[in-house]
C-alpha cells in the first residue's frame, strides 16, 4: 500500500516535519461533511435508543437492542470473513442511503408511539433494535470514508464529530421525547447532502498531515509493531468496555437518571475533554491517543466508582464520569477502527463490525450479567469491590500489552521469532496478505481509482482498469466482472481513449510514476 493511499509519509519527509499545526488546521474545513454526517448519525442512535442520555441509558431498549443488532452484524461479519467479501462502492452507497432512511423512519416511529400513547414495549424494542442496527451502518460509512488518513486528521475528525453529536443530544434532551425524536430524525436526513458534499471535496486521505511515529497511524516503526499496537488496543478496549458496562448500571444493573445539573455537567465534561484532546493532537503530543487516552479513561472509571461510594443517594454524580467515559470510548473506538481500516487488507466493514463486537458486545454482556448477579447477591459493597478490581485488571492488561510491545522491539534485531505474526493479529485481519498477489491486487485497485479521478473514468472502467493492469486478459476481465468479452473490450478502448495511453505497459508506467 502506497504512502498516498494510507495518508502516511515516509520517515524523514521534510514536508511533514516542517508542517506547522496552523497549516494543517486550515485544511480541516474539508472534513466538515464527514464531521456533520458522523455527528448526526451517532446522535440519532443516542436519542432513539439511549433516551438522549437523560439517564445513563434506557435499559433493555439500549443494551438489549444492541445485542440484537450485534447478532445481525455478526452474521455479516462471518459472511465477509469466510467469503473474503469486498463490498463495492456502489453497494456501499446504496446501503448508506437505505440506512439513513430507516434511521429517520425509526426515530419518527418512536416519536409517533410517544404522541399516541402506544406503550407497546415489544414494538418500541423492535424499533430501537432496528435504529441501533441501521445507525451503526451509517456510522460505518463515515468511518470508511476517513480510512487512509494520518494521526492528526483522524483524531480531529472523530472528536469533532463527538462534540457535535453531544451538542445535538443535549438540545434534544431539553425537548419532550416526541419532539426530540422528530428533531433527530430531521437531522439524520442531513446525511444525504453530506454524502454529496463529501464527494466533491478533497478526501481525508489527501489532506497532508504528519503521522506520529509512536501512534497507530505511524509507519516509521516496523509494520509488525504497528499491528501489535492495534492488537493491544483491541484487548484494552474489550476489558475496559466490561468496566463501562458495569459502571453504567451501578450497582444493580438499572439505569441511573440524571438531574438537570448533572446532565449538563456530563455534556460539558465530554466536550471539554474532547476539545483538549484535539488541541493536544494538533500540538503533536504523540502519546495523547496511545497511553494518554487510556490514562484518562481509567481515571474517569476510578472517579465514577469513588463518587458512587461517596454519594450513594446521588448516583447521578458518579454517572457524570461514567457517561463521559462511555462517550470518550466511542470516539476512541472510531479512531482505532479507522486505523484498522487503513492497515488491514480485509474489507473496511470487517473492522467496523469487529470494533462494535469488541466494544459494545463486551459492554452489553457485562451489563446483562450485572443485573443477573445482583439478583443473586444484592451486596453494594461487594459490587463496588468487584468493579474496582476490574478497573485494576483492565489497567494491568493494557500495561502488559504495551510492555510486551516494548520488549519485542528490543529483541527485534536479535530474535527472528519476534517477527512472527500472532494468532490475534491474524484474526484481526492485520496479518500480511495471504499472497503477494492479493497485496498487488489491492495496490492496483487503489492506483486505478487514482487514475479514475484524474481521467474521469466511470466506476466500471476503474474496475476493468485494475484487472487489466494486473495482466488479466479481456476474457478473464469479463469473467471476473460478470460481463461479456465485448463489453470488456469496449471498456478498455474507452480507457485508452480517455487516458491517451496506448498499451498495458504504458498504463503500468503511468501508475508507477503518478499514482504509487
Amino acid at each position: 500500500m502506497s504512502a498516498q493511499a494510507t495518508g502516511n509519509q515516509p520517515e524523514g519527509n521534510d514536508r511533514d516535519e516542517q508542517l506547522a499545526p496552523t497549516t494543517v488546521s486550515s485544511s480541516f474545513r474539508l472534513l466538515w461533511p464527514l464531521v456533520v454526517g458522523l455527528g448526526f448519525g451517532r446522535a440519532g442512535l443516542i436519542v432513539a435508543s439511549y433516551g438522549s442520555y437523560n439517564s445513563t441509558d434506557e435499559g433493555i431498549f439500549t443494551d438489549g437492542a444492541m445485542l440484537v443488532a450485534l447478532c445481525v452484524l455478526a452474521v455479516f461479519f462471518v459472511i465477509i470473513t469466510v467469503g473474503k467479501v469486498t463490498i463495492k462502492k456502489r453497494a456501499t452507497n446504496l446501503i448508506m442511503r437505505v440506512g439513513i432512511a430507516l434511521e429517520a423512519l425509526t426515530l419518527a416511529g418512536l416519536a409517533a408511539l410517544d404522541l399516541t400513547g402506544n406503550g407497546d414495549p415489544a414494538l418500541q424494542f423492535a424499533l430501537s433494535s432496528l435504529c441501533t442496527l441501521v445507525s451503526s451502518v451509517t456510522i460505518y460509512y463515515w468511518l470508511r470514508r476517513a480510512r487512509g488518513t494520518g494521526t492528526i486528521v483522524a483524531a480531529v475528525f472523530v472528536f469533532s464529530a463527538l462534540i457535535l453529536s453531544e451538542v445535538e443530544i443535549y438540545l434534544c434532551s431539553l425537548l419532550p421525547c416526541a419532539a426530540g425524536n422528530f428533531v433527530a430524525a430531521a437531522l439524520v436526513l442531513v446525511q444525504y447532502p453530506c454524502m454529496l458534499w463529501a464527494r466533491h471535496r478533497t478526501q481525508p486521505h489527501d489532506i497532508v498531515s504528519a503521522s506520529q511515529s509512536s501512534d497507530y497511524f505511524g509507519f516509521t516503526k516496523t509494520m509488525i509493531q504497528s499491528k501489535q499496537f492495534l492488537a493491544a488496543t483491541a484487548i484494552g478496549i474489550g476489558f475496559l468496555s466490561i468496566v463501562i458496562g458495569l459502571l453504567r448500571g451501578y450497582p444493580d444493573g438499572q439505569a441511573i437518571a440524571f438531574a438537570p445539573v448533572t446532565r449538563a455537567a456530563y455534556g460539558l465534561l465530554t466536550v471539554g475533554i474532547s476539545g483538549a484532546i484535539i488541541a493536544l493532537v494538533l500540538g503533536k503530543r504523540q502519546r495523547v491517543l496511545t497511553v494518554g487516552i487510556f490514562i484518562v479513561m481509567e481515571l474517569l472509571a476510578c472517579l465514577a466508582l469513588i463518587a458512587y461510594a461517596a454519594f450513594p443517594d446521588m448516583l447521578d454524580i458518579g454517572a457524570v464520569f461514567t457517561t463521559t467515559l462511555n462517550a470518550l470510548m466511542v470516539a476512541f473506538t472510531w479512531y482505532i477502527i479507522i486505523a484498522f481500516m487503513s492497515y488491514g487488507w480485509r474489507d473496511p466493514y470487517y473492522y467496523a463490525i469487529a470494533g462494535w463486537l469488541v466494544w459494545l458486545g463486551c459492554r452489553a454482556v457485562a451489563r446483562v450479567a450485572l443485573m443477573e448477579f445482583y439478583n443473586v447477591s444484592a451486596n453494594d459493597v461487594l459490587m463496588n469491590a468487584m468493579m474496582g478490581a476490574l478497573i485494576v485488571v483492565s489497567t494491568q492488561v493494557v500495561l502488559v500489552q504495551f510492555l510486551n510491545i516494548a520488549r519485542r522491539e528490543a529483541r527485534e534485531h536479535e530474535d527472528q521469532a519476534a517477527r512472527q505474526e500472532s494468532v490475534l493479529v491474524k484474526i484481526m485481519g492485520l496479518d500480511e496478505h495471504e499472497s503477494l498477489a492479493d497485496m498487488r491486487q489491492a495496490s492496483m485497485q487503489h492506483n486505478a481509482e487514482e487514475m479514475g479521478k484524474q481521467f474521469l473514468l466511470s466506476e466500471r472502467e476503474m474496475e476493468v482498469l485494475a484487472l487489466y493492469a494486473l495482466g488479466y486478459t479481456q476474457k478473464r476481465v469479463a469473467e471476473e466482472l460478470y460481463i461479456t468479452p465485448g463489453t470488456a473490450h469496449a471498456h478498455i478502448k474507452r480507457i485508452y481513449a480517455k487516458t491517451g495511453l496506448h498499451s498495458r505497459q504504458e498504463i503500468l508506467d503511468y501508475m508507477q510514476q503518478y499514482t504509487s
Side-chain angles (χ1 to χ4, degrees):
M1 186 177 291
S2 67
Q4 184 180 1
T6 60
N8 297 295
Q9 303 294 330
E11 185 177 15
N13 188 316
D14 292 337
R15 185 181 181 187
D16 279 354
E17 292 177 354
Q18 297 172 2
L19 191 65
T22 54
T23 303
V24 176
S25 300
S26 65
S27 300
F28 289 150
R29 65 182 184 276
L30 302 171
L31 293 174
W32 273 112
L34 277 69
V35 170
V36 173
L38 179 58
F40 286 171
R42 185 228 174 196
L45 168 62
I46 303 302
V47 171
S49 298
Y50 292 70
S52 301
Y53 279 142
N54 282 306
S55 59
T56 50
D57 57 65
E58 289 290 288
I60 189 65
F61 300 107
T62 299
D63 288 307
M66 180 58 70
L67 286 174
V68 171
L70 289 177
C71 288
V72 177
L73 291 172
V75 173
F76 287 98
F77 182 79
V78 171
I79 293 173
I80 292 173
T81 305
V82 176
K84 299 179 182 177
V85 175
T86 299
I87 302 176
K88 301 297 183 182
K89 181 179 179 181
R90 184 175 301 173
T92 299
N93 290 332
L94 176 61
I95 293 170
M96 178 59 173
R97 293 189 187 100
V98 173
I100 294 172
L102 289 176
E103 184 178 5
L105 286 173
T106 53
L107 279 159
L110 289 167
L113 288 180
D114 186 68
L115 287 175
T116 59
N118 185 344
D120 184 359
L123 181 56
Q124 185 179 354
F125 180 76
L127 288 174
S128 183
S129 299
L130 179 59
C131 187
T132 301
L133 176 62
V134 296
S135 299
S136 298
V137 170
T138 62
I139 290 171
Y140 297 165
Y141 174 86
W142 296 114
L143 298 180
R144 187 179 187 276
R145 289 199 70 94
R147 70 190 190 281
T149 61
T151 300
I152 298 176
V153 175
V156 171
F157 166 48
V158 297
F159 283 98
S160 296
L162 179 65
I163 291 173
L164 178 63
S165 66
E166 288 295 333
V167 172
E168 178 190 337
I169 294 164
Y170 179 71
L171 293 177
C172 287
S173 73
L174 301 177
L175 300 173
C177 182
N181 282 328
F182 276 127
V183 169
L187 292 177
V188 160
L189 294 175
V190 175
Q191 291 179 90
Y192 282 126
C194 283
M195 289 178 67
L196 298 175
W197 187 14
R199 280 187 205 165
H200 297 93
R201 297 175 74 89
T202 300
Q203 298 305 305
H205 62 74
D206 291 326
I207 299 175
V208 179
S209 66
S211 284
Q212 298 167 0
S213 60
S214 61
D215 190 64
Y216 307 105
F217 290 80
F219 270 95
T220 56
K221 295 186 178 181
T222 65
M223 179 71 79
I224 184 66
Q225 189 179 24
S226 297
K227 295 172 189 173
Q228 289 166 352
F229 266 114
L230 288 172
T233 301
I235 294 172
I237 287 174
F239 274 87
L240 192 53
S241 298
I242 295 173
V243 173
I244 294 173
L246 299 177
L247 290 174
R248 286 168 70 241
Y250 180 91
D252 56 0
Q254 300 303 313
I256 302 170
F258 280 112
V261 173
T262 49
R263 176 63 183 85
Y266 147 68
L268 290 173
L269 183 59
T270 301
V271 170
I273 295 177
S274 299
I277 290 174
I278 292 174
L280 290 170
V281 170
L282 288 174
K284 297 184 180 179
R285 299 295 181 90
Q286 296 192 6
R287 296 184 179 180
V288 173
L289 288 170
T290 50
V291 178
I293 188 69
F294 274 108
I295 291 175
V296 171
M297 291 193 293
E298 298 286 359
L299 177 60
L300 286 170
C302 292
L303 290 174
L305 203 55
I306 292 170
Y308 285 147
F311 305 100
D313 296 326
M314 294 184 291
L315 293 179
D316 55 321
I317 296 176
V320 169
F321 302 109
T322 295
T323 315
T324 299
L325 165 60
N326 185 77
L328 292 179
M329 180 62 86
V330 169
F332 183 57
T333 303
W334 288 347
Y335 177 80
I336 295 301
I337 286 174
I338 295 173
F340 271 91
M341 288 179 174
S342 301
Y343 289 177
W345 59 268
R346 296 182 187 273
D347 185 85
Y349 285 109
Y350 173 92
Y351 300 105
I353 297 174
W356 251 232
L357 293 173
V358 172
W359 146 228
L360 295 168
C362 290
R363 191 192 73 181
V365 170
R367 179 65 176 282
V368 173
L370 174 61
M371 289 187 287
E372 295 300 321
F373 183 82
Y374 194 83
N375 289 333
V376 176
S377 177
N379 187 326
D380 292 359
V381 176
L382 176 61
M383 295 308 303
N384 197 297
M386 288 180 60
M387 292 183 189
L390 284 171
I391 292 174
V392 173
V393 169
S394 65
T395 304
Q396 290 300 312
V397 166
V398 175
L399 175 62
V400 169
Q401 289 295 318
F402 285 130
L403 286 176
N404 286 338
I405 291 170
R407 292 194 188 100
R408 289 190 188 104
E409 182 183 11
R411 298 197 311 261
E412 192 174 45
H413 300 292
E414 300 176 3
D415 187 0
Q416 188 64 27
R419 297 182 180 273
Q420 295 177 355
E421 305 282 9
S422 70
V423 174
L424 182 61
V425 165
K426 293 179 180 179
I427 292 175
M428 291 179 176
L430 293 168
D431 54 316
E432 301 296 341
H433 257 296
E434 292 186 339
S435 68
L436 290 176
D438 289 333
M439 185 178 293
R440 185 166 178 261
Q441 183 171 354
S443 177
M444 201 65 72
Q445 183 176 351
H446 164 72
N447 292 341
E449 291 174 355
E450 290 298 310
M451 286 188 65
K453 296 175 186 177
Q454 296 171 20
F455 296 105
L456 303 180
L457 302 180
S458 68
E459 183 177 344
R460 176 63 81 183
E461 287 167 350
M462 284 188 278
E463 292 174 343
V464 170
L465 176 59
L467 296 175
Y468 188 63
L470 282 169
Y472 286 24
T473 63
Q474 293 185 19
K475 180 180 178 182
R476 190 176 175 194
V477 169
E479 292 173 350
E480 288 286 328
L481 299 178
Y482 301 100
I483 57 179
T484 65
T487 302
H489 177 71
H491 282 309
I492 292 171
K493 284 184 64 177
R494 282 196 292 271
I495 290 170
Y496 280 137
K498 289 182 179 181
T499 61
L501 303 174
H502 305 91
S503 68
R504 196 194 311 260
Q505 187 58 51
E506 285 189 13
I507 290 174
L508 293 173
D509 291 342
Y510 184 91
M511 285 181 171
Q512 182 176 6
Q513 184 173 0
Y514 295 107
T515 65
S516 296

